[in-house]
């Protein structure tokens, strides 16, 4: 796993990009604990690729965004591209036992039935897919499932280390199961935001989740959460690095990708179902965000 450090711009945290070696499978699994040196952890930083950190035992702290979170047994941190991780200290993970899993968007391969689409189109994992910069989303693995999570990640790590025949397929399968597990744990993103002391963001995401299929403006979201549009704009941008309208659009795009993947609905019908009455405007918006038309995306991603 080779990481390239991008230079700082103004006061932004440094960003790290993954540079896979030729033929390298863009998946990495590493143990986390006291004394573990992870590239970039010595400074505030973000990645342009997603990742997970899972802790089977309590101990130490994790620095995400501006928060310092004490690690508890079963903690699972979902790290989206763009999420800011704080500068780690030498004693941060004293007593902790855990794993980090990192991958790129193409790690699963387009020839894996359903897998490549599963995490990209899950309606409640859009912060994981596109990033939020509020710090990693914190989930909790139930106690009866914790040994299974450790076993699964250990198996993924062993496949990557030993590279036996068929290891690529095995790694892909383990990664798919991990992502399915994440999607099930993240079934209540709004609840997790409330638990993580982000009540305003929870309300905003709740409004977006309920009303994205219909016309929805910044002013209407602001009215629903009882604050001014200006205050809402500045708060959401500061906490997430994105505007309310960008989050509305992204939620619509997640549903559009799901409908493109699992239905044969015409493009115009999909646009109307996700809040774009004008088919042309839907196609232009989709194309701007994905680099291709909805029709092309469907042909490339759905076998």
């Amino acid at each position: 796993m080779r990481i390239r450090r991008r230079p700082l711009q103004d006061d932004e945290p440094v960003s790290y990009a993954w540079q896979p070696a030729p033929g390298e499978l863009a998946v990495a699994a590493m143990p986390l604990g006291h004394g573990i040196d992870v590239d970039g952890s010595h400074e505030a930083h973000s990645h342009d690729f997603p990742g997970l950190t899972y802790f089977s035992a309590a101990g130490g702290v994790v620095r995400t965004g501006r928060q310092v979170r004490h690690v508890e047994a079963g903690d699972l941190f979902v790290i989206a591209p763009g999420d800011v991780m704080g500068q780690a200290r030498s004693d941060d993970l004293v007593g902790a036992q855990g794993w980090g899993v990192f991958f790129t968007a193409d790690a699963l391969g387009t020839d894996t039935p359903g897998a490549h689409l599963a995490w990209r189109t899950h309606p409640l994992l859009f912060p994981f897919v596109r990033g939020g910069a509020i710090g990693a989303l914190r989930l909790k693995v139930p106690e009866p499932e914790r040994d299974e999570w450790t076993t699964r990640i250990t198996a993924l790590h062993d496949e990557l280390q030993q590279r036996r025949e068929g290891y690529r397929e095995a790694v892909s399968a383990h990664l798919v199961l991990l992502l399915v597990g994440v999607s099930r744990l993240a079934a209540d993103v709004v609840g997790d935001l409330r638990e993580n002391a982000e009540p305003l963001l929870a309300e905003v995401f709740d409004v977006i989740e309920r009303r994205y299929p219909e016309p929805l403006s910044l002013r209407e979201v602001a009215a629903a959460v009882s604050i001014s549009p200006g205050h809402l704009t500045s708060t959401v941008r500061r906490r997430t690095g994105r505007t309310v309208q960008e989050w509305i659009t992204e939620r619509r795009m997640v549903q559009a990708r799901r409908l493109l993947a699992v239905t044969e609905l015409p493009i115009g019908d999909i646009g109307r179902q996700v809040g774009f009455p004008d088919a042309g405007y839907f196609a232009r918006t989709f194309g701007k965000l994905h680099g291709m038309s909805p029709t092309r995306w469907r042909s490339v991603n759905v076998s």
Side-chain angles (χ1 to χ4, degrees), residues 145-221:
E145 300 175 17
R146 292 173 189 171
D147 287 345
E148 181 183 352
W149 272 79
T150 299
T151 299
R152 187 175 296 156
I153 298 175
T154 303
L156 171 64
H157 174 265
D158 290 347
E159 291 289 350
L160 288 166
Q161 291 294 308
Q162 298 171 17
R163 299 195 175 194
R164 296 169 293 183
E165 183 177 355
Y167 88 96
R168 288 177 174 270
E169 292 78 9
V171 166
S172 178
H174 288 307
L175 185 57
V176 170
L177 289 173
L178 284 174
L179 294 174
V180 169
V182 171
S183 71
R184 291 172 177 171
L185 291 174
D188 186 7
V189 167
V190 170
D192 285 302
L193 286 170
R194 288 198 178 98
E195 186 175 319
N196 290 324
E198 294 285 359
L200 176 60
L201 289 182
E203 290 185 61
V204 170
F205 277 77
D206 186 42
V207 172
I208 293 173
E209 184 64 29
R210 288 186 287 106
R211 297 176 56 181
Y212 76 86
E214 62 191 61
L216 183 61
S217 67
L218 165 65
R219 188 172 297 277
E220 289 168 321
V221 175

Side-chain angles (χ1 to χ4, degrees), residues 48-107:
D48 70 352
F49 50 88
L52 309 168
T53 58
Y54 169 65
F55 294 93
S56 57
V61 299
V62 170
R63 302 175 191 274
T64 69
R66 297 183 179 89
Q67 296 178 302
V68 178
R69 292 163 162 179
H70 291 273
V71 174
E72 300 175 358
D75 273 350
L76 175 68
F77 293 95
V78 179
I79 306 169
D83 280 345
V84 176
M85 306 303 292
Q87 179 178 351
R89 300 174 183 174
S90 60
D91 60 349
D92 274 0
L93 293 179
V94 171
Q97 298 177 23
W99 289 91
V101 177
F102 302 93
F103 55 95
T104 66
D106 58 352

Side-chain angles (χ1 to χ4, degrees), residues 35-52:
I36 297 297
D37 184 20
V38 180
D39 284 344
S41 63
H42 60 284
E43 59 188 338
H45 65 283
S46 65
H47 307 116
D48 70 352
F49 50 88
L52 309 168

Side-chain angles (χ1 to χ4, degrees), residues 4-20:
R4 178 169 59 86
R5 184 182 189 274
R6 291 175 174 170
L8 288 169
Q9 295 183 357
D10 300 324
D11 60 348
E12 294 181 357
V14 68
S15 175
Y16 283 81
W18 193 331
Q19 290 185 311

